Amino acid sequence: MPLRQLSLNQFRNLSSTTLEFDSHLNIFEGKNASGKTSLLEAIHIVCEGQSFRTHHLKQCIRHNQDDFLLFGKFSDHQVGISKTQEQRIIKINGQITARRSELVLFSPVRMINTDSLDIVMGKPSMKREFIDWCLFHVEPSYPDLWKQHGHALKQKNALLKTKTDDHQIDYWNEYLLDYNLRISRYRKDFLSRLKNILFSELNNLMDYERITFTYEPGWDINKSLSDIYRIQRQREIKYGYSLYGIHRDNIHISQDGIPVQHCLSRGQLKKLSVALLIAQVILVNRETGKPVIILVDDLSSELDSVSVSKILEVLRILNAQIFLTFIKYSDHPVKGDQEVKWFHVEHGIIKPVKNV
Ligand SMILES: Nc1ncnc2c1ncn2[C@@H]1O[C@H](COP(=O)(O)OP(=O)(O)OP(=O)(O)O)[C@@H](O)[C@H]1O
Ligand SMILES: [Mg+2]
């Protein structure tokens, strides 16, 4: 749901203020170190309860202060987040919630920055995270399934760690068999839906003809997983952790059979990762009706102006609320008659401006 208003208090270098946003397009311009990424970070935190820059929210507390406070008014709910050195409190519509996942389901948010490259060239765990984010939003049973799988895997690994052949391993294997097959089906199906969107709706961003996306499950799919569990039991005990399952899934992205990170340029890799993220946003919006919030930090890094313009054109027509930062926005004019809200950021002070 669109974020209408954000209040910032003692957050990084940003001056305490309340900002009103456009429900579609918001652009922040400012020099290095003015506070642009910090502003996107604050928006990310009111959407998901966590930062995209750090796992330690206390780093966001303004230096020499005790806490920060963020308050976001979305179209259909309100979120308050406070963080002291010791404690984080999340309030949704005035009620304290202990579960961050509740917040995540309210307001899907995606970040486009230099780290987005991890989707195409990062570790398999980053690719799994990319898939799971989407499934979390579009498949109502997925959050529970994912949690149950995590619990069963933890229990099995604890038994394997003792390196003894405990009959309880079979107990957890039975659950894991079911969870693995279901999650694997969801992930495989998700990738094919994502590819459809990429090829049919985002082909103006880049040419994907020679690119293949292959879902590779974390076990040999020509064999049954229950057979693998049985045959490889001693091996799993020897290693002391589970060797087969969706926790080892990967997505191979290649061009003419060569992994993309070894044959595409940085700019092409960035465009590919941005295209995948946008495809994901389209999918979530289409299947849940929720408009996604997209945070785009310094799009022009690693991209030429033609590529930046193409991406901006695609973003403009999405049913999403977009927050863009630029060091100098006049280099990349946003065309069209669409409403845009402009902000200038300087030494942590964010001010709306009338014209560019
Ligand atoms: N906890 C904090 N308290 C106060 N200032 C901080 C804190 N954390 C970071 N800063 C400072 O905030 C400033 C703004 O950082 P930010 O990354 O938001 O800048 P930016 O506008 O995105 O810059 P760039 O264009 O270089 O990416 C930096 O000078 C940084 O050192
Ligand atoms: Mg920045």
Side-chain angles (χ1 to χ4, degrees):
M1 292 301 145
L3 176 62
R4 303 279 187 203
Q5 195 186 73
L6 177 70
S7 299
L8 302 147
N9 285 285
Q10 301 184 163
F11 189 86
R12 296 230 188 235
N13 75 323
L14 300 175
S15 289
S16 299
T17 187
T18 296
L19 303 163
E20 308 275 343
F21 298 129
D22 184 73
S23 61
H24 186 59
L25 191 52
N26 301 274
I27 301 181
F28 301 85
E29 177 261 5
K31 292 187 181 140
N32 289 139
S34 53
K36 304 178 297 299
T37 304
S38 303
L39 190 261
L40 296 187
E41 188 180 26
I43 297 173
H44 196 274
I45 294 171
V46 289
C47 292
E48 283 209 342
Q50 73 179 16
S51 163
F52 53 81
R53 284 215 273 204
T54 173
H55 293 300
H56 305 287
L57 269 193
K58 64 181 175 192
Q59 286 176 5
C60 302
I61 301 171
R62 163 120 25 112
H63 297 152
N64 307 317
Q65 298 295 327
D66 298 328
D67 57 1
F68 76 68
L69 178 66
L70 298 173
F71 186 71
K73 268 193 191 167
F74 295 79
S75 340
D76 63 349
H77 68 287
Q78 303 185 352
V79 175
I81 301 209
S82 64
K83 173 74 189 144
T84 63
Q85 293 293 335
E86 295 82 30
Q87 204 185 13
R88 177 196 69 186
I89 296 176
I90 300 178
K91 282 188 184 172
I92 305 174
N93 294 330
Q95 301 289 317
I96 293 182
T97 173
R99 293 176 55 162
R100 202 178 56 80
S101 55
E102 253 182 66
L103 187 62
V104 173
L105 286 173
F106 265 107
S107 39
V109 62
R110 288 275 73 182
M111 181 77 209
I112 294 178
N113 59 8
T114 41
D115 293 342
S116 306
L117 284 171
D118 288 342
I119 297 167
V120 291
M121 53 190 294
K123 288 187 280 187
S125 61
M126 287 159 172
K127 297 176 183 177
R128 291 195 295 272
E129 235 170 67
F130 169 75
I131 306 183
D132 287 340
W133 179 87
C134 206
L135 288 169
F136 209 78
H137 288 286
V138 300
E139 300 294 346
S141 63
Y142 200 76
D144 271 347
L145 178 59
W146 195 82
K147 217 169 122 192
Q148 285 165 334
H149 168 269
H151 175 70
L153 184 65
K154 208 169 148 194
Q155 300 301 320
K156 177 177 168 181
N157 278 342
L159 293 169
L160 291 173
K161 214 172 166 191
T162 64
K163 309 224 170 174
T164 45
D165 194 346
D166 193 312
H167 71 278
Q168 280 192 66
I169 294 173
D170 299 318
Y171 174 85
W172 290 110
N173 272 348
E174 220 165 285
Y175 281 103
L176 282 169
L177 192 61
D178 174 48
Y179 300 150
N180 274 297
L181 296 179
R182 279 159 63 198
I183 292 176
S184 178
R185 258 198 309 273
Y186 276 135
R187 286 181 174 173
K188 191 173 173 207
D189 176 59
F190 160 82
L191 191 62
S192 85
R193 281 187 283 164
L194 198 74
K195 277 194 288 190
N196 284 342
I197 293 177
L198 212 56
F199 295 152
S200 61
E201 298 177 48
L202 296 171
N203 46 13
N204 51 340
L205 280 187
M206 69 182 286
D207 184 6
Y208 317 99
E209 231 165 62
R210 292 157 58 205
I211 298 180
T212 49
F213 300 85
T214 317
Y215 170 66
E216 191 183 74
W219 69 94
D220 180 352
I221 39 153
N222 298 313
K223 296 181 182 149
S224 93
L225 187 56
S226 63
D227 282 351
I228 293 176
Y229 280 157
R230 189 172 40 78
I231 296 163
Q232 302 295 344
R233 187 188 180 88
Q234 293 310 320
R235 190 161 179 260
E236 289 201 316
I237 292 168
K238 183 177 152 210
Y239 277 85
Y241 56 85
S242 171
L243 297 169
Y244 310 94
I246 57 104
H247 61 293
R248 307 198 94 180
D249 283 358
N250 193 8
I251 300 174
H252 280 294
I253 310 175
S254 54
Q255 177 171 275
D256 302 334
I258 304 168
V260 283
Q261 62 269 35
H262 299 317
C263 59
L264 295 188
S265 73
R266 291 283 296 185
Q268 284 175 312
L269 289 166
K270 178 143 180 193
K271 266 195 282 183
L272 183 59
S273 54
V274 170
L276 280 164
L277 281 161
I278 294 177
Q280 207 186 31
V281 166
I282 294 175
L283 206 144
V284 168
N285 178 241
R286 197 162 287 163
E287 299 196 10
T288 66
K290 290 184 203 168
V292 178
I293 292 176
I294 310 179
L295 311 174
V296 189
D297 202 12
D298 199 7
L299 187 59
S300 40
S301 84
E302 295 181 302
L303 290 178
D304 58 37
S305 56
V306 175
S307 304
V308 172
S309 301
K310 277 188 185 175
I311 293 172
L312 289 178
E313 285 305 303
V314 172
L315 289 173
R316 273 188 54 229
I317 54 168
L318 285 183
N319 182 16
Q321 187 185 25
I322 296 155
F323 295 87
L324 289 166
T325 72
F326 282 112
I327 289 172
K328 199 163 169 240
Y329 51 60
S330 52
D331 289 347
H332 306 282
V334 179
K335 294 184 222 105
D337 48 11
Q338 205 161 7
E339 275 222 3
V340 178
K341 196 148 188 185
W342 302 88
F343 296 85
H344 182 74
V345 190
E346 195 170 339
H347 302 306
I349 298 169
I350 307 169
K351 280 196 183 141
V353 284
K354 287 224 159 53
N355 285 308
V356 298

